Amino acid sequence: MPHALTLRPATRVLRRAPGEVQIGTDPRWAVRLVGLSAAEERWLQSLEPRFGADGAPCATTADLRPPAQRRGTLLRLLEEAGLLVRRRPRRRVSTGPGNGDAELPVLDAVRHDGAGHRALAGRARAVVGVVGIGRLGATLATTLATAGVGTIVAHETAPVLATDVGLGGFRLRDVGAPRGLALARILGEVAPGVTTASGRVPDVVVVVEHDAADPDRVRELVGDGVAHLSIVVREADVVVGPFVRPGLDPCVRCVDLRRRDVDPCWPQMARQLRDAVGPGYEDAVLSSVAASVASGQVLAAIDGDVPRTATACLEILAPDAVPRLRGTTSHPECGCTELRGAPPDGTPLVRAGLAPRATSTRTSGDRTRIG
Ligand SMILES: [Zn+2]
């Protein structure tokens, strides 16, 4: 094996049959090697990273090596399959529990360069704002914190309700406490390295609303070029999306205008929905599934990928909470795609070129400052 390369971390090497080995189990990258000698099988199996009880890698046995020419052929096959990556540095920084050890194998596997530690470092630097921290928003925030997001900003003074208690979020002891303070305490308990205040413009803002999204609530984010994810809790489902990178993706208003095209009465109905005042209940299962799916969208963007909801909304329906995709497209009347230049697909989010300053959005009649 070339000195600087190694098999992707967490890749399994499995014996399928005499002379046949499978490397990896995910169909996106797994390969089968056939026509192997018994010695080659053993050597390939020795490449699988192994760790002792203390988490330290175990040494492989050098005397298992096949002849150099044959070894070179096998390594070339592995490299062509994208299964060899550069060795990563030992030092790693994550604000997630256990220094991000649970996230690292998956990030190693899904990244083209196998450098999951870089994704963890990016998450540790990221700032995410959450507006609308009820049952869903609190679960979302704790999920992001445990996944290694370093700063989560969520200032809300409305009290926690008993119906806000849920998976990974608020507890009964929090009922009556200001939501922002209660959430900060919970985040500190699950990920002590997380900070809950930042003078920086967030990389992503998540806005949780009820009944109908209000494009005016995210107008400043669109104008400032801040990526944001809309989540709407409706009668018996939750809509996650669109994820908007201003200037690139269909925005909340685009989606609203498309709906008006289909139903001319939608604007007046939407107005009534937005004006409604109520407790804003959030079903337990829909909230936890939506929080997880939404966290995946935010993390994909932070990790440098294009979230699926950049071109679709995910509708999570009661009772079984199986998400379904509904595609989104820009609306010609909106004009949001003519906004300021935004980073190209796949590049890190809005950190570059934005001076730190506060951004504000409205939610449920409250005015909430982000950043
Ligand atoms: Zn638009």
Side-chain angles (χ1 to χ4, degrees), residues 204-207 209 213 218 227-232 239-245 249-256 297 307-314 326-329:
V204 182
V205 174
V206 181
V207 181
E209 299 173 280
V218 292
H228 51 283
L229 174 66
S230 166
I231 301 176
V232 181
V239 181
V240 177
F243 187 101
V244 183
R245 297 167 303 161
D249 308 313
C251 72
V252 174
R253 186 158 183 263
C254 287
V255 174
D256 203 54
Q297 302 305 296
R308 185 66 185 84
T309 49
T311 52
C313 289
L314 278 161
R326 190 182 292 277
T328 57
T329 53

Side-chain angles (χ1 to χ4, degrees), residues 100-111:
D101 281 352
E103 326 307 315
L104 191 62
V106 173
L107 289 169
D108 280 337
V110 298
R111 278 180 65 102

Side-chain angles (χ1 to χ4, degrees), residues 18-19 50 92 130 199 353:
R50 290 185 173 80
R92 172 162 42 91
V130 183

Side-chain angles (χ1 to χ4, degrees), residues 92-336:
R92 172 162 42 91
V93 177
S94 171
T95 53
N99 202 23
D101 281 352
E103 326 307 315
L104 191 62
V106 173
L107 289 169
D108 280 337
V110 298
R111 278 180 65 102
H112 178 68
D113 59 2
H117 63 284
R118 291 202 185 115
L120 280 177
R123 289 182 181 186
R125 290 192 299 270
V127 179
V128 175
V130 183
V131 179
I133 40 174
R135 205 179 215 175
L136 194 164
T139 303
L140 169 94
T142 54
T143 304
L144 293 174
T146 51
V149 172
T151 303
I152 297 173
V153 182
H155 302 303
E156 282 177 37
T157 55
V160 176
L161 306 176
T163 49
D164 293 328
V165 174
L167 176 71
F170 295 123
R171 294 285 174 266
L172 283 173
R173 67 167 187 206
D174 301 316
V175 173
R179 293 179 189 216
L181 287 178
L183 181 62
R185 181 172 57 191
I186 292 164
L187 295 179
E189 289 170 352
V190 297
V194 168
T195 55
T196 53
S198 170
R200 246 183 57 200
V201 173
D203 298 294
V204 182
V205 174
V206 181
V207 181
V208 184
E209 299 173 280
H210 283 252
D211 298 319
D214 186 350
D216 286 344
R217 288 183 180 163
V218 292
R219 192 167 47 195
E220 285 183 50
L221 299 174
V222 173
D224 288 348
V226 177
H228 51 283
L229 174 66
S230 166
I231 301 176
V232 181
V233 181
R234 304 194 298 195
E235 204 168 302
D237 71 357
V238 178
V239 181
V240 177
F243 187 101
V244 183
R245 297 167 303 161
L248 281 180
D249 308 313
C251 72
V252 174
R253 186 158 183 263
C254 287
V255 174
D256 203 54
L257 290 169
R258 291 286 179 201
R259 187 154 184 185
R260 181 212 62 186
D261 291 348
V262 175
D263 180 1
C265 294
W266 170 245
Q268 65 169 346
M269 291 199 298
R271 204 160 36 246
Q272 294 169 64
L273 290 169
R274 288 165 191 149
D275 289 345
V277 177
Y281 293 133
E282 297 172 351
D283 172 87
V285 172
L286 294 183
S287 294
S288 57
V289 173
S292 297
V293 168
S295 298
Q297 302 305 296
V298 173
L299 293 170
I302 291 171
D303 293 347
D305 294 323
V306 179
R308 185 66 185 84
T309 49
T311 52
C313 289
L314 278 161
E315 298 173 345
I316 300 161
L317 290 78
D320 59 2
V322 175
R324 70 182 184 196
L325 274 170
R326 190 182 292 277
T328 57
T329 53
S330 298
H331 195 285
E333 288 180 33
C334 183
C336 61

Side-chain angles (χ1 to χ4, degrees), residues 25-69:
T25 55
D26 192 302
R28 287 176 288 181
W29 49 74
V31 296
R32 282 187 307 129
L33 297 179
V34 299
L36 302 169
S37 69
E40 288 165 352
E41 283 181 37
R42 287 198 301 275
W43 176 69
L44 285 167
Q45 287 180 298
S46 79
L47 299 182
E48 181 179 302
R50 290 185 173 80
F51 300 90
D54 60 353
C58 299
T60 54
T61 312
D63 60 7
L64 290 173
R65 290 181 168 194
Q69 186 179 358

